[in-house]
Amino acid sequence: MKKITIAIDGFSSCGKSTMAKDLAREIGYIYIDSGAMYRAVTLYSIENGIFRGNRIDTEKLKKHIKDIHISFRLNSATGCPETYLNGVNVENKIRTMEVSSRVSPIATLDFVREAMVAQQQEMGKAKGIVMDGRDIGTTVFPDAELKIFVTATPEIRAQRRHDELKAKGQEVGFDEILENVKQRDHIDQNREVSPLRKADDALLLDNSHLTIAQQKKWLAEQFERIVQNK
Ligand SMILES: Nc1ncnc2c1ncn2[C@@H]1O[C@H](COP(=O)(O)OP(=O)(O)O)[C@@H](O)[C@H]1O
Ligand SMILES: Nc1ccn([C@@H]2O[C@H](COP(=O)(O)OP(=O)(O)O)[C@@H](O)[C@H]2O)c(=O)n1
């Protein structure tokens, strides 16, 4: 069967990667978490003195951008892909609140987006890929055969992220997470380059009141519909 490209975009913490990862595993496609790439650039910036307080030394980051190599490798024990920054596993480090609170300003920078989008397009050139993020259906793969735009209320999203961090032993207050979710949504929707928006041909999914199993089933049905009509 001919492989297609699947783009899943939407707001922070609504379940994009959960559904994208599950679908990719079931249909034997590659899964790429594009947000992890912006998070890795942010971690690099934190660790290499590119932040001065909240200010970003953009000239310095511009000089270093070619030294930032991001890749994904499957963890054979969990079966989940993990993020590597210059050969080091940073999967846990990129999920902290510190990175979450600094990632959206980094993701507004045109030269950062250019570098990430080029890598993402390279990863998807053979199709057979599910990628999630903010601009996948609009900028990275505008010709994707299946585009989904996911949303849920900010409170529900913050609760999901709160529960996730708690399960990983990170005690972060609900209010701090809610604030971060809202702030990132605002920056992501209002930036100049590739702002977060639903592609005209994307299907909208509000999963506020869906279980993971229900949303997984919905996505599998959309995939079946597209491949059967091809
Ligand atoms: N429909 C759902 N109901 C409840 N929890 C969900 C649902 N979808 C995802 N989650 C949980 O919400 C958290 C955020 O999901 P994630 O897939 O990481 O979101 P995103 O990729 O959009 O940031 C995860 O802990 C995930 O298990
Ligand atoms: N394609 C993408 C993916 C993420 N991002 C940025 O990276 C941040 C982190 O993305 P993420 O998908 O890991 O965020 P969560 O929703 O998982 O918290 C987003 O808030 C955006 O600022 C982006 O600009 N473009």
Side-chain angles (χ1 to χ4, degrees):
M1 197 189 293
K2 233 176 153 187
K3 293 197 167 182
I4 66 165
T5 302
I6 303 171
I8 302 187
D9 289 303
F11 293 96
S12 156
S13 316
C14 54
K16 299 180 300 297
S17 57
T18 303
M19 62 198 289
K21 212 181 293 176
D22 273 2
L23 178 70
R25 195 184 307 119
E26 291 222 335
I27 63 179
Y29 278 26
I30 293 169
Y31 163 66
I32 298 291
D33 174 357
S34 69
M37 300 172 70
Y38 292 94
R39 286 175 177 272
V41 175
T42 306
L43 179 67
Y44 180 95
S45 303
I46 294 170
E47 291 181 340
N48 289 275
I50 283 161
F51 281 100
R52 304 274 153 84
N54 281 333
R55 209 181 66 77
I56 302 166
D57 185 341
T58 48
E59 285 313 307
K60 187 169 176 184
L61 182 53
K62 210 180 268 182
K63 277 193 208 124
H64 282 240
I65 196 83
K66 285 199 172 59
D67 305 330
I68 304 180
H69 301 287
I70 300 160
S71 56
F72 296 96
R73 292 182 210 162
L74 217 58
N75 177 323
S76 53
T78 62
C80 289
E82 293 184 336
T83 314
Y84 283 72
L85 170 62
N86 293 337
V88 177
N89 186 329
V90 291
E91 186 55 33
N92 289 330
K93 274 190 168 177
I94 60 168
R95 310 284 169 195
T96 60
M97 277 309 285
E98 188 184 8
V99 171
S100 295
S101 68
R102 292 180 180 272
V103 62
S104 285
I106 290 281
T108 62
L109 300 172
D110 53 359
F111 63 91
V112 171
R113 303 204 69 82
E114 238 167 68
M116 296 304 112
V117 169
Q119 288 182 36
Q120 290 153 6
Q121 289 175 334
E122 183 64 29
M123 292 167 181
K125 72 175 190 230
K127 293 189 173 277
I129 190 163
V130 187
M131 192 176 290
D132 78 323
R134 303 293 187 284
D135 61 341
I136 311 306
T138 53
T139 301
V140 181
F141 300 129
D143 298 329
E145 290 84 350
L146 177 58
K147 297 183 188 178
I148 312 286
F149 190 87
V150 197
T151 187
T153 67
E155 288 73 18
I156 285 178
R157 292 188 277 126
Q159 190 62 52
R160 288 176 182 170
R161 186 46 52 87
H162 178 264
D163 295 347
E164 176 188 326
L165 290 173
K166 195 170 174 191
K168 286 199 283 190
Q170 294 182 42
E171 281 292 343
V172 187
F174 173 82
D175 291 345
E176 188 186 340
I177 295 174
L178 180 60
E179 189 51 38
N180 175 254
V181 158
K182 287 182 176 172
Q183 204 170 44
R184 279 199 287 136
D185 288 352
H186 181 78
I187 299 173
D188 294 347
Q189 284 176 292
N190 291 289
R191 69 180 173 226
E192 255 171 55
V193 192
S194 306
L196 167 65
R197 67 167 182 81
K198 179 185 163 300
D200 294 337
D201 51 351
L203 302 171
L204 181 68
L205 174 69
D206 182 335
N207 73 358
S208 300
H209 303 293
L210 292 185
T211 63
I212 291 178
Q214 285 170 329
Q215 79 195 16
K216 193 176 151 182
K217 182 166 173 276
W218 179 87
L219 183 61
E221 285 165 3
Q222 305 315 312
F223 172 73
E224 285 304 324
R225 188 175 50 77
I226 298 285
V227 290
Q228 269 160 24
N229 289 335
K230 269 188 78 72

